[in-house]
Amino acid sequence: MWREIGDSFHSVGSMGDGCRCVLLTGNGKSFCAGIDISDPEFGLTSNHNHHHSGKADHDHESLESPDYARQFLSFRSKILDMQRAISSLEICPVPVVAAIHGACIGGGVDLTCCADIRLCSPDAKFSVREVKLGLAADVGTLQRFPKIVGHGSRVRELCLTGENFDAVEAARIGYVSQISTCREELIPMALQVCGKIAVNSPVAVTGTKASLNYSRDHTVREGLEHIALHNAAALGTRDIMASFSALSKSKKPRFMDLLPCARL
């Protein structure tokens, strides 16, 4: 499924599809229940139950069984592929709004860390669960979660214990910006946020997202230089005049969709 997530977010908003905002939800009783440790795709189950003895068996094993170096390179490649897939939400040029209900465990936190806006229902439950499975979270939570909620004692406690935290605490520490009154109201609330984004200039929205992400990972000076370079080109958009014209007439502005990525 993570491959499909990567493929989807690498294409949406860049194909001339007119997409202005993405609403990310979970289809089921929970947003994400976490990693399926029985899935052989992740290589967490061992099938090395055979034993060898003698020189002949040893020579055969050295040719047929991968050594540690080869396993390392294989795992590293898989982890990097998964990181790229999850990071596609950040790379996606249009904002991503995550609507979280029920459990949001492990990979669910990795995924929603990449969303631009996070909303949840009152029954939402979060956990950086990997540490309880003998793993260090490796596809983004440990890098992004502290930048969202701060590098204080509580974030380390949550990451090092793997304990749950609820919707109220998620809002308190700034992980989610709103909690719906009930689960049924979550999607309407999220669609309302998406609608408020979608009516704005796609040039302005894309530039704002790019600047926020860049500035998070760079100094203030570098962030200012980045947005200056962006706006030197983006100020040439007709969307600015369309906005002023619509405001003067008390109307809603209409903006042209972004073009698909150029094929060189």
Side-chain angles (χ1 to χ4, degrees):
M1 181 178 178
W2 57 269
R3 287 193 181 92
E4 286 79 4
I5 290 173
D7 291 343
S8 297
F9 281 98
H10 274 121
S11 60
V12 70
S14 61
M15 301 176 64
D17 50 23
C19 180
R20 302 286 181 89
C21 189
V22 175
L23 176 57
L24 178 64
T25 66
N27 185 21
K29 64 180 181 180
S30 295
F31 180 85
C32 177
I35 189 174
D36 180 3
I37 60 175
S38 66
D39 187 349
E41 177 79 7
F42 293 98
L44 297 180
T45 54
S46 174
N47 59 359
H48 298 290
N49 295 322
H50 52 277
H51 300 279
H52 298 282
S53 60
K55 184 177 184 302
D57 286 341
H58 176 75
D59 292 341
H60 177 75
E61 182 180 3
S62 66
L63 294 174
E64 300 296 330
S65 300
D67 57 25
Y68 179 76
R70 287 170 173 79
Q71 293 179 23
F72 163 80
L73 293 172
S74 175
F75 274 119
R76 180 178 182 273
S77 177
K78 171 61 72 68
I79 293 169
L80 290 174
D81 282 346
M82 295 177 68
Q83 289 176 350
R84 282 188 285 268
I86 298 298
S87 295
S88 66
L89 277 72
E90 283 185 339
I91 298 170
C92 178
V94 300
V96 178
V97 176
I100 306 161
H101 71 281
C104 181
I105 308 297
V109 177
D110 288 312
L111 191 64
T112 55
C113 274
C114 290
D116 298 285
I117 298 171
R118 288 164 295 277
L119 315 170
C120 74
S121 60
D123 65 340
K125 177 180 65 176
F126 305 84
S127 174
V128 186
R129 188 62 58 83
E130 286 87 347
V131 71
K132 285 186 174 292
L133 301 177
L135 304 169
D138 57 7
V139 291
T141 292
L142 300 183
Q143 291 70 39
R144 295 185 177 100
F145 189 49
K147 290 189 176 183
I148 296 169
V149 305
H151 288 265
S153 175
R154 183 55 177 158
V155 71
R156 289 176 177 264
E157 183 179 356
L158 292 172
C159 292
L160 292 169
T161 64
E163 69 181 34
N164 295 335
F165 59 104
D166 60 17
V168 173
E169 180 164 14
R172 181 183 65 80
I173 64 178
Y175 192 64
V176 300
S177 53
Q178 295 186 59
I179 305 173
S180 62
T181 55
C182 61
R183 179 181 286 200
E184 291 71 25
E185 290 299 317
L186 176 61
I187 299 302
M189 181 178 73
L191 286 172
Q192 187 176 39
V193 173
C194 291
K196 291 178 179 179
I197 294 171
V199 297
N200 293 324
S201 159
V203 174
V205 169
T206 296
T208 298
K209 173 172 179 172
S211 182
L212 285 168
N213 285 342
Y214 185 90
S215 297
R216 177 198 62 191
D217 299 328
H218 296 79
T219 66
V220 172
R221 181 181 180 86
E222 290 168 335
L224 289 170
E225 291 176 351
H226 176 268
I227 193 61
L229 180 62
H230 171 85
N231 269 4
L235 287 174
T237 178
R238 292 193 292 265
D239 292 1
I240 297 174
M241 291 304 299
S243 295
F244 278 103
S245 176
L247 286 172
S248 67
K249 300 174 183 177
S250 298
K251 295 181 178 179
K252 292 183 178 180
R254 297 180 63 185
F255 303 108
M256 180 181 180
D257 291 335
L258 296 179
L259 299 177
C261 288
R263 295 183 178 181
L264 299 179

